[in-house]
Every structure is written in structure tokens, then in C-alpha cells.
Amino acid sequence: MGDSDVRKHTFLRQGSASKMPLREKIVQIYDVLFKGEDPSRDNPNFWEEFFLLKANVQYVEKELERLSADELLALKENINMLFYRCTLTLKEDYPIRIVNALQTLCALIRGIYRKNLSDHGFDVINILVGFDVAESQMQALIENLNNLIVGEQSVSLKNLCFKLLLILVTVTDNVSQNTILEYIMINSVFEAIIQILANPVSRQNHGYDAMLLLTILVNYRKYESVNPYIVKLSILDDELALTGLGYVISSAFKDFNRQFETKNEPGSGGLFSALTSMVGSMFVTENSDPEPVRASDAILLAMYEAVHLNRNFITVLTHNHTESTANPPVSPTKRTPLAVDATAQEVLPIDMSLESSSQPTNILVTFLRYCSIIMQDVKDEEKLGNGKLCMIILTCIGEDQYANSFLHDANMTFRVELYRAPMRHRKQTVDKNLPARPLACALLDLMVEFIMSHMMKNLPMDLYLRCLGIIHRILCYQKKCRVRLQYTWKQLWTALVSLLKYLLSNESSLLPKYNIFHLSNKVVRLFNLFITYGDTFLPSPSSYDELYYEIIRMHQVFDNLYSMALRQSTNGGEHKDSAANLTSNLVNIRAIVNHFTPKIDSWTAANSLSSLTSDQVLDVVRSNYDTLTLKLQDNLDQFERYSEKPAETAFFTQLVRSIISDVRHNIGLSNLQQQTVLQEFSSLS
């Protein structure tokens, strides 16, 4: 009997002698390793046999958790050896060994990083890999993982590779403090990620994980040093890969929209439906409302990084395709954004129920619908963050020349069914009867809806400023390129005036918390842009006349706004400078009101009328333009371009922390168990 057989025999006899249940052979070997002994001594075939045994991830992690910091340090040599052997095994051709090596690496990395060894002055990388060989070992690990990901391996084995990489990049709450990522900066996985995204089949199986991994890596020390993943993503011009990334993002948005629509679709009605509802309610507790559909921070961040960093991605947003349930396009698998099941093998078809009417669509259409859902509710911090990121993405799109040319192209029209938030005077609705229009119309509708539906005590001031900024960028493009968008501008003017009325009515409660003069200035600036340049981009002269009509009709709002600003600018309050600026910016609006009001009154008296119709007022306006004098205001068509640093660094740092926490939470032990993975290999049967 050889040494190996003696050792195995001894492991089994120990369990029998003590009359305890037989322990897994792998667990017995783990015990030897965690005692600091070398189980491979005198057995040259030990590691080949070891990786044929099914890894017990849960046991390894529990044993590591049980060890004190000093005990763990004493086991450094064995841990380094196990890490080295796992890495070496990844180069083999035998899938079962590779799977067990990947499982063991997952357990080692998670178990050791959970120890919070920084409190004891120990370096995790040294305990895990060993300082002397860390560079070469990590290079070998990443190289082997890259080869497995792009090679002819099974779906589940590749999923495990991604799980290992996701564990590596999420071991610390703050990604920028994860020093092991320095090795992934040097030994890139970018090319492997791009290959996955570019291949229609592989991105169905691994697209979400690839996108998630890339998104986290892009955010490593992005404000402190040159991040190679930022550089590579910003210059990426591989159309297949960018299109693949777009499909992964778009399918997640579609899945979210579908879930929201399913949850909120009205009942079919009828007696049977009513009876079913009544009987069902008898067995439902008070707090049994279904969980709201949760937005995915990771998908939004991926969309943001792609739009913000890569100008080529804008063209992907605008790629048209016709969606039909009969012939769906090749798209990434519908994945629940936070689900990271390492053992998923089945490729699910994309649910095309939302846009299944053979109408042209693209990622922007899906994203605008997504935004209309997200922006309905921004009351808590998480939802406010989602709304903010949607606004930032739309801001970046609004600043891009190519995106704007597409948004305003009269030959590229779409039906975009935006959701409208439930309010006192209306239920939750979605307008399904809209005509096909340029996407700029849908974007303006989205902004108008936001303005009208968020006038509340806790005013989302930041979102309002971003909303007005998006509208301003759209108008600046129209003015610059003399684009006459066929849009019902009156609804925008009405929304802007309604916002001013709200600010005036709630001055006493809002002023202590917000600089409402700054917000009012943004509104007035939009009106000034219409007044000064509207004749170059409004669809017709009658639209320009209607603008003046609305200003004159709502003159009391502008008068009250001027009075409030004048009062605050002379009282020496906290916002006196903003208030003084507002009084100055109202000069042309006041000039219009003061010029036309006497003309209208005079015409009314001359014609012995008590009131005028809108057409009569418009006639007076048209006949008195010549004598109106307006002040030329500078920089109305200028805006400060979006910059992430320094204004948004804190927001994105916290957002990435939240994403990392979610990823870490959802790569659970059950997801790392192998039974489903190993079923792929017929050699086990």
C-alpha cells in the first residue's frame, strides 16, 4: 500500500474509530491544511487527486472565519501553497479540476478578506499569495482566467471565472482601497470582456457579468491616477463590442420596464375578476403589498460610463431596429440585475412584450421609458440617486452634437410611451396613443412631466436644476442649428410658469432650505432664450406669438416673482445676490408685459369690449412688435459642460460602494456550489 493510500485509509479510519459520521475526504484534507501540516508530503500525485474532489466552499470559509489573525498568519505558507496550486490547475485541460480550483480560490479570497486583517497590521495579499511571488502569481491567475473566458469552455465554467473576478474586485467596500486590483490594472481583463460582449452567443450567457466587472474596474482610483480601463473604454471603437454592451444594458432596462408594467397593469375587470380580487383579499395581510420593482444602480452606472467616456457609444444608442415578438433581435439574456448565479446554463429569450408592435425602436427609446418610471418616485435617498443618475446621463446626451442631430431628425420618428406618475387629479397613466415623433419631443415630454409632478414640500432641488439644464441644452442646439422642432411648446411654458407659481406660493417654507432664486433664474433664462432667439427655432411665427400671449396672460406670476426678488435683494438675506440677479434677468419679460398690456387695454376700450378672445389678443401682439424694445442679454445660449470631477465625485464614490455591497451580498455560497456545474461533464456519470 502506497503512502497516498495509507493517508486516505487513515482519514477514513479516524472517522470510523470515533463512531462519528464519515466526514468528506476533502474536509479531512482541509483540516490537515488548517493545522499547518503539508498533506502532499511524500505523495507526488496529491494535488492531482485533491482537485478531483468536490470543493466544499462553505467549510473553507467557516474555517478561515474561525481562525484568529495570529493563527491565520501562521498558516500563511499553506495558504500560499494552496493559492499557487489552484492557479496552476487552471492551466489544465481537465474541467473538473479547473472547477474545483476556481471554487477553492473563491473560498480562499472571500474567507481571508473577511478577516479585516488591516486592523492587525497584516497585509492580505501577503497571506493570500505571498509578497515575493505576488506579481508572478497574479499575472498567471489573470492570464489563465482570460484564456478560460475566451476559450472553448462550458457556460458554467466561464460563469465561475467571472464570479472569481467579481469576488476579487468587491472584497473591499471602497473599490479604490482594494490593492489587489493593482494587479488587474497591470494584467488586463479588458480584452476578454470585449470579446464576450462582441459575441452574440457569449454575451447572452455572460454579458451582464462582463458589463458589471468592467463598470467596477473603470471606477478603481478614477480620480487619483490613470486607470487603463478608462483609457481603453474611452477609445474603444469596436462596433460589435459597443453594440453588445448596448444590448446588455438595453435588455436590463427592458426587463425592468416589463416588470413595472406587469406590476402596475390594471385588472381586466368583469364579475369574475372582481370576485377573484375579493376572495384573494380575504387572505392577504395588511402589509402584503408586493415589493416595488427595484432599479439597478449597476446598469445605470454602466450606461453612464459608456455615454460619458465613449463618444462612439452614442451611435449605439441610436441604432434602430424593429422589435417583433416573432423575430426578436439577438440580445443579451434577460438577467435580473442583481442575480449572479454562477451555475446558470439556460439561455433565456428576451421578453419583448413592451415594444412588440413592429415599431422602430432603439436603446434611447427604452431608456426614456425607463427614466419615466424611475423619475416618478424620488422620495428616498436610493431612488433620488437613481433619478439623479438618469438626469446626468440625459445631460451628457444633451451635450453631444451627434445625439442631438439624431434626437431632432424629422425622418427618425418613434412612439415613446412614457409613464406618468399618479397624482391627485389623475391615476398612473401611460399615453399609448402618441404619434411617432422625433425623440427630442419625448425627452421634452419627460422633462415637462418631471416639472409638473414633483412640486412638493421636500423639493428635489438638484433634480429640478438638472431637468432645466437638459431643456436648456436642447434649446441651445436648436438655436445653434436652426432646428424647428414640431413640438407643443405651450405645455413647456405652462409647466415652467406652474413651477414659478409653486415657488411663490411656498416662499416661506422653501426659502429657509433652498435657494429658490437660483432655480427661478434657470426658469427665466429659458424664457429669455425663447424671447431672444425663438424666431430662429420655434416651428412657426404663430408659435412665437403664442409665447408672448402666455407671458402676457401670466403676467401676475412674473410681477410677483419680481416683487419677491426685489424684496429679498434689498433685505440683505442669504440669497440676496441670486435675488438681485433674478430682478435683472426679468427685464425683458417685464418689458413685454409693460409694453403690450396698455395696448391691449386701449384696444379693448376702443372696441367697447369687456374682455378679449385669445385671437384678438394675438392680433394686438402682432401689430405692436415694431415698437417693442428689448435688452440684448449675453450668453443665453451658453452652458457649463458637465464635469464629473469634482462636483460629482462623492456621489459616484457612494454609488460604487452600494453596487459593490449588492454584488458581494448576491454572490452567495449557494451560487458557488458545484452540483449544477459538474452535471455538464459527462465524465462524472
Side-chain angles (χ1 to χ4, degrees), residues 393-464:
I393 293 169
L394 292 173
T395 299
C396 293
I397 292 171
E399 291 182 359
D400 186 88
Q401 182 79 6
Y402 177 81
N404 262 309
S405 66
F406 180 84
L407 289 172
H408 291 86
D409 190 338
N411 297 314
M412 302 297 294
T413 58
F414 303 85
R415 289 187 176 91
V416 186
E417 299 173 359
L418 301 177
Y419 282 89
R420 302 171 71 199
M423 298 172 70
R424 287 182 182 177
H425 63 282
R426 72 181 189 199
K427 294 181 179 179
Q428 191 171 51
T429 60
V430 56
D431 192 345
K432 295 182 178 290
N433 300 311
L434 285 172
R437 303 174 297 166
L439 279 180
C441 295
L443 177 54
L444 288 168
D445 283 349
L446 181 64
M447 296 299 100
V448 167
E449 173 61 23
F450 179 84
I451 292 171
M452 294 299 293
S453 59
H454 290 82
M455 291 179 244
M456 49 196 182
K457 186 182 294 183
N458 292 322
L459 192 71
M461 174 67 79
D462 179 66
L463 295 191
Y464 265 108

Side-chain angles (χ1 to χ4, degrees), residues 511-517 568-569 573-580:
L511 197 54
K513 297 186 287 184
Y514 310 106
N515 184 352
I516 59 175
F517 302 105
Q568 291 294 333
S569 65
E574 179 185 356
H575 305 302
K576 65 175 183 177
D577 292 339
S578 294

